[in-house]
Amino acid sequence: MTTDSQPYRAALEVAVREAISWLDGMPTRSVHPHKDPDEIRDSFHDSLAEVGIPPTEVIERLAQLGEPGLMGKGSGRFFGWVIGGTLPAALGADWLVSAWDQNSRANYLSPTAVTLEEIAGEWLLDLLHLPKDCAVGFPTGGTMANFSGLMCARYKLLKDLGWDVNEKGVNGAPAIQVLVGQDRHVSVDLALRYLGFGLPTVVDDDDEGRIDIAALRKIFESSDVPTILCLQAGNVHSGSFDNFAEAIEIARQHNSWVHVDGAFGLWALASAEFDSITAGLNLADSWATDAHKTLNVPYDCGISIVKDSQVSKGAFTVDAGYLFDYAAPHLQPSDKVVEFSRRARGVPVWAALQSLGRTGVVSLVEGLVHNAQWFAQELLTIPGCQILNDVVFTQVCFAFESDERTLAIGNALMANDSVWISGSHWKGKQVLRISVSNWSTDQEDLETTVAAVRLAGQN
Ligand SMILES: *Cc1c(COP(=O)(O)O)cnc(C)c1O
């Protein structure tokens, strides 16, 4: 065992230099990758060497050959899908998490890592005005956060029917109905697939992609089957929020569990400015969100929140002789997510919240939305441009006179290295989408982006 820190120091120093060069170049670099996957494969093409090379050379090679194939997702002019940037404190903490390399399954394995995750969880509940005793877990992303909430739902509804799903599985289990909106995110379907549910029952929606309340009531009234209702806070096209107050009131009159996919939208709960769209959102049984979107921590960080921590424990906890029998007063990380050994991904969340403070989080979320609203106003000054959604949150969906023209403008934008705006298909129409998710977007970025759309529209 060497105690010399030199091997680490040299590799980390190259990594720092290369990381700073990457980040420093962000404002001026093309937002798009310079090389496509085949070209990148060509640059790295060699077969596995018989003999290795020193760590510093590995990192140098990685940075130099890899950089041309990187997406400038940290740019203030990147508006694709729903992809956040990275706050400096969160990035620094993420590096330290790797250097510490703690196993964050339980607090006796790493008092610091697990306690910081607990604190981050408490801060989140406080910020989002959710009940203080919820279980907060840190899975890999929104997909697994949806999975976690839905796994708790499955466990609880079946338990109430006298069926222990942990013991008996899903084969032959009593029926459970799963209701989703037409416009839910596909990761909800994926989570249901992992859980053995198959395809959910789809409820009609309105023009903004919100569940139609009358249709929902009808389904509930026509069946007594215990139900998992999945609602959405933040539609990827319109940013819309389901009508939580009414939907949850209906669900409460029937035997049900309400789960909310709030991958980027749950953060609206931080600001009173969004009270009209978040009304009733705090009344669900479980919520999924991402820290790596709106909160701007590096990738690999979802957040699962479950109101009844005993249900979380029932769904996730396992026992094995070699695990310590800890008498912890509260849940351990592995009582809240499916992973056992994992990185301390809640620590960058702690760092982001510590660096922003309450007012910083509120202004981050409000700022993203104000930028989206600014876009909606300015884009309207471009001939032929129509805004398709009510811009209540961070998403702006727009189109031009015909699908052909929208596609052509989308292609022209894809040829413009200074911005990234993705196309999509929504409500039977070819559309372009702006998702404002990066903390660093400033007025100049906004103006450059609108100018790019205007220019694309002139072709
Ligand atoms: C991004 C997203 C997800 C999936 O989250 P991942 O972090 O990509 O796993 C789920 N729902 C919505 C609404 C999203 O925007």
Side-chain angles (χ1 to χ4, degrees):
M1 159 94 205
T2 173
T3 51
D4 184 358
S5 68
Q6 201 56 33
Y8 288 113
R9 179 185 301 273
L12 291 177
E13 279 174 358
V14 179
V16 168
R17 194 181 68 224
E18 294 294 347
I20 290 174
S21 146
W22 160 248
L23 295 167
D24 276 354
M26 197 67 74
T28 47
R29 182 191 189 274
S30 148
V31 179
H32 301 228
H34 304 154
K35 289 191 174 174
D36 67 25
D38 286 341
E39 290 170 317
I40 287 296
R41 179 165 285 274
D42 281 347
S43 359
F44 281 103
H45 74 279
D46 11 33
S47 47
L48 177 63
E50 288 303 321
V51 180
I53 57 174
T56 49
E57 284 175 44
V58 174
I59 307 300
E60 258 156 25
R61 197 172 144 74
L62 174 64
Q64 261 131 52
L65 300 182
E67 200 269 353
L70 298 180
M71 173 75 89
K73 75 175 263 291
S75 161
R77 284 166 277 108
F78 180 90
F79 300 105
W81 304 281
V82 187
I83 290 186
T86 297
L87 290 162
L91 176 57
D94 199 61
W95 281 16
L96 214 44
V97 164
S98 291
W100 288 349
D101 196 23
Q102 301 289 287
N103 184 316
S104 307
R105 185 183 63 73
N107 62 2
Y108 56 78
L109 285 163
S110 178
T112 297
V114 175
T115 302
L116 286 176
E117 288 200 342
E118 283 172 8
I119 294 172
E122 287 157 23
W123 286 354
L124 284 167
L125 296 176
D126 180 13
L127 265 168
L128 303 179
H129 309 287
L130 292 174
K132 278 190 182 1
D133 47 359
C134 292
V136 182
F138 295 95
T140 51
T143 304
M144 289 311 288
N146 279 326
F147 172 84
S148 304
L150 294 169
M151 179 158 149
C152 289
R154 185 186 69 171
Y155 171 81
K156 174 71 164 70
L157 291 181
L158 287 176
K159 185 165 181 274
D160 288 349
L161 294 167
W163 184 273
D164 181 349
V165 69
N166 295 348
E167 188 189 317
K168 298 182 177 166
V170 288
N171 286 332
I176 288 192
Q177 157 177 262
V178 184
L179 303 180
V180 299
Q182 182 80 40
D183 233 11
R184 80 284 184 191
H185 192 271
V186 287
S187 66
V188 169
D189 292 32
L190 209 49
L192 293 170
R193 186 189 297 176
Y194 304 155
L195 289 163
F197 278 119
L199 288 175
T201 301
V202 176
V203 186
D204 285 345
D205 62 1
D206 65 11
D207 291 349
E208 299 288 330
R210 290 174 298 219
I211 276 189
D212 182 289
I213 294 296
L216 182 69
R217 181 172 285 118
K218 214 159 143 194
I219 294 181
F220 264 115
E221 283 171 357
S222 66
S223 140
D224 285 337
V225 181
T227 300
I228 299 174
L229 171 62
C230 297
L231 299 174
Q232 181 165 256
N235 176 299
V236 292
H237 287 99
S238 67
S240 72
F241 286 55
D242 278 327
N243 182 339
F244 304 108
E246 288 192 45
I248 294 177
E249 194 191 326
I250 299 165
R252 290 289 170 244
Q253 290 157 15
H254 301 265
N255 185 8
S256 62
W257 176 288
V258 181
H259 171 77
V260 179
D261 175 5
F264 63 96
L266 198 68
W267 300 90
L269 283 170
S271 163
E273 187 178 323
F274 309 114
D275 280 356
S276 65
I277 53 174
T278 58
L281 172 53
N282 58 336
L283 301 174
D285 297 295
S286 57
W287 302 263
T289 190
D290 264 323
H292 60 217
K293 289 180 178 172
T294 310
L295 187 63
N296 281 252
V297 310
Y299 264 137
D300 192 47
C301 192
I303 300 171
S304 159
I305 305 174
V306 175
K307 185 155 70 187
D308 185 340
S309 60
Q310 287 314 303
V311 171
S312 179
K313 193 167 166 60
F316 288 109
T317 305
V318 285
D319 226 346
Y322 72 92
L323 303 176
F324 273 35
D325 188 14
Y326 50 84
H330 36 230
L331 300 191
Q332 297 296 303
S334 62
D335 300 325
K336 297 181 282 193
V337 294
V338 280
E339 293 119 314
F340 247 47
S341 306
R342 62 170 185 84
R343 68 190 276 101
R345 59 171 70 91
V347 172
V349 173
W350 171 87
L353 298 179
Q354 179 84 79
S355 94
L356 292 171
R358 188 190 305 277
T359 55
V361 177
V362 172
S363 357
L364 168 67
V365 181
E366 290 176 353
L368 300 176
V369 179
H370 297 164
N371 286 346
Q373 289 166 342
W374 185 89
F375 270 131
Q377 247 175 42
E378 291 299 309
L379 289 172
L380 276 181
T381 66
I382 299 175
C385 186
Q386 309 150 22
I387 304 298
L388 304 176
N389 64 314
D390 193 5
V391 183
V392 294
F393 204 57
T394 54
Q395 309 300 102
V396 185
C397 209
F398 61 106
F400 290 81
E401 295 91 334
S402 65
D403 279 359
E404 292 67 35
R405 208 164 123 67
T406 303
L407 262 178
I409 291 173
N411 289 338
L413 279 169
M414 271 300 142
N416 184 335
D417 271 356
S418 64
V419 299
W420 184 285
I421 294 175
S422 340
S424 181
H425 210 74
W426 187 51
K427 300 274 177 202
K429 236 179 139 116
Q430 194 63 41
V431 301
L432 289 164
R433 290 173 56 237
I434 285 182
S435 170
V436 188
S437 310
N438 193 307
W439 70 277
S440 74
T441 298
D442 61 18
Q443 190 61 30
E444 195 183 329
D445 292 324
L446 297 178
E447 279 163 22
T448 306
T449 304
V450 169
V453 180
R454 192 181 300 281
L455 182 69
Q458 282 161 9
N459 294 323

